[in-house]
Amino acid sequence: MSDNESEPVVSSDEEEAKQFHEFGLDDRLLKSIAKLGWAEPTIIQEKTIPLIRNGKDVLLRARTGSGKTGAFIIPVIQDILEHKDRNVDAPRQTRGLVLAPSRELCKQIYEVIIGLTSSCRKSVRVVDVSQQLVTDAHKPLLKDNPDIVVTTPGNALDQLKARNLNVKNLKTLIIDEADLVFSFGFEEQIKEVLTFLTSNHQSVLASATLSEDVLTLKKLVLRNPAILKLEEAPIAPSTQLKQYVLNAEENDKAAILYSLLKLSLVRGKTIIFVNTVDRCYKLKLFLEQFGIKSCVLNSELPAVSRCRAVSQFNNGTYEIIIASDEKSLDEPHKIKEKKSKRKKDKESGVARGIDFQFVSNVLNFDFPPDINSYIHRAGRTARGTNEGFVINFIAIREQPLLEEVKDHLKDYYKQENVFEKYEFDLKEADGFRYRSRDAWKAVTRIAVREARLKEIKAEVLNCEKLKSYFQDNPRDLESLKQDKALHTVKLQPHLKDVPSYIVPPSLRTLAGFSTKGKRKFDRTKEARTSAKTKFQSREGNPLAKKRKH
């Protein structure tokens, strides 16, 4: 950190990781940690927990999936338990304030805290007030001064101004995904929030990168901090994460995606990234024609819908989620934004921070616009001890972007090229190309618009705040239910099945076809297990490796 050489920089070393009980944690907290299945602290937790427990301001940087949330939350919970043991009769105080730039992240952090307080729920109360409601709607939740409050900077400021949130006894301020705070337009809110805090609190900034915005925020929030910077690659090592390049022009990308999914060459939970919201819906409608279910995630969806999509993906309702990055989030001042009449939620982030669980594959259908976006997308998989795969669909115009990422990553991995070529000859699957070409053309702009309207209508029908309105105005509810889309993509049932004659001979066994051309369907558990084992051990399929979940 060149801006202040006197600040101590803590880096990782080769010491064996400590056990959680060696941090002197309360037995109730240790019990909760054990319930979560955390066998031992990650490197970032091992280094951070003692620093925060000693009252030090901390700036910690580690890649996504390294355990940052546990690193800064465990000391806060421990402080609360110790404070209550010392002051048995004292009234409840808000001692921890956690700020995150998006409501999805707030919900994720809240759920981690709920897990870490499962054995001390009566002693540690946490609330998430990040949802965009009328300010006074959160007043009952904040009335008895919950021990930990999780919210966005904007909502925190609203609650402070309304005097719903009492921070006079605040011990720890935490700002997660600090490099996104300015990108989401929260600079002024953070400055105002700080005016409500006393001078004797400690602060923690957590970030996946150390951008210029983080350095600015560091000067604003931290006092003589310890800087914890892990010397590691920005994404998982090549032994854990395989990255592939698949050359494909725009007209062929959809056909290849259809082939990969229908031939089971890509298995497990999969995130497909595109660069615009319209592409989200176009791809979803395209896959629907072949009976492939997916859900979408983008910044134009209401927060409730976004959280629902993430939950449905995590719990296995959907194996595929299609997510959009409209712009680079790390250096927004360098991006020329297109004017749009569509209202986007600035408290939404897709590629950053959200805890997509057990993701096996990331498919960059559209290659990301810059290096940081690529790193954050790739960081969605190969988390913890799980293996993961990234397949990049590269058109000629996207080749320069790929070269930039190659140059950046080779310094970390100490090898010239971390990308392997994904062998796929579309000429062998012309039948897939013919089918996909018609299906792709069928998804017109009007069909995309209708799909977006359908999402909005579903949200209106499920909105809790409108229930009383619809009770008083039943005709409006009936009209909304009867409203039919005028232009939809016609679904043809026969497209759900894959006839044997369009499957390349070399892939027929892998895709479940017999040599005589008939699709084999054995629904028994034993048969499925046997087929899965054969698939995972088959040579020639780069994704056919056993994954640890």
Side-chain angles (χ1 to χ4, degrees), residues 316-384:
T317 303
Y318 291 98
E319 287 282 299
I320 298 171
I321 192 167
I322 304 171
S324 68
D325 290 318
E326 295 83 11
K327 60 180 181 177
S328 169
L329 296 176
D330 286 317
E331 302 291 342
H333 52 281
K334 296 181 181 179
I335 305 293
K336 292 183 178 179
E337 295 188 27
K338 296 180 180 179
K339 293 183 179 180
S340 175
K341 295 180 181 179
R342 296 169 183 165
K343 184 179 180 181
K344 295 183 179 180
D345 188 348
K346 74 175 183 178
E347 296 183 0
S348 166
V350 174
R352 292 297 310 275
I354 299 176
D355 188 13
F356 297 106
Q357 297 174 5
F358 305 122
V359 177
S360 298
N361 314 293
V362 167
L363 307 186
N364 283 318
F365 191 82
D366 296 329
F367 198 75
D370 59 35
I371 295 168
N372 284 324
S373 291
Y374 179 84
I375 289 172
H376 296 312
R377 287 187 188 187
R380 300 304 99 206
T381 187
R383 307 196 48 180

Side-chain angles (χ1 to χ4, degrees), residues 22 50 80 203 292 303 388 547:
E22 295 182 59
I80 293 168
S203 300
I292 301 172
R547 299 178 177 88

Side-chain angles (χ1 to χ4, degrees), residues 230-266:
L230 294 191
E231 300 300 331
E232 60 179 359
I235 51 181
S238 56
T239 54
Q240 184 180 358
L241 176 66
K242 299 298 182 183
Q243 301 173 74
Y244 295 96
V245 171
L246 203 165
N247 294 316
E249 291 308 309
E250 183 65 23
N251 293 335
D252 291 333
K253 284 186 177 184
I256 292 173
L257 179 64
Y258 165 44
S259 305
L260 293 177
L261 295 176
K262 271 299 185 180
L263 292 174
S264 298
L265 298 178
V266 170

Side-chain angles (χ1 to χ4, degrees), residues 147-185:
D147 300 287
I148 303 174
V149 175
V150 182
T151 188
T152 61
N155 278 357
L157 183 59
D158 290 341
Q159 301 300 334
L160 288 168
K161 287 182 175 179
R163 298 188 177 182
N164 296 335
L165 178 58
N166 183 350
V167 292
K168 65 180 181 181
N169 295 302
L170 188 74
K171 172 69 181 345
T172 307
L173 169 68
I174 296 167
I175 302 178
D176 194 17
E177 297 295 342
D179 50 336
L180 295 186
V181 168
F182 287 0
S183 299
F184 279 58

Side-chain angles (χ1 to χ4, degrees), residues 509-528:
T509 303
L510 184 63
F513 289 88
S514 68
T515 54
K516 295 181 179 180
K518 294 182 179 180
R519 189 72 177 268
K520 295 181 289 185
F521 291 101
D522 191 335
R523 305 292 184 183
T524 64
K525 182 178 180 180
E526 294 77 7
R528 290 198 305 269

Side-chain angles (χ1 to χ4, degrees), residues 280-294:
C280 266
Y281 291 98
K282 187 174 179 68
L283 206 51
K284 176 180 170 61
L285 292 174
F286 168 76
L287 294 178
E288 277 182 356
Q289 295 178 75
F290 302 106
I292 301 172
K293 293 197 306 179
S294 65

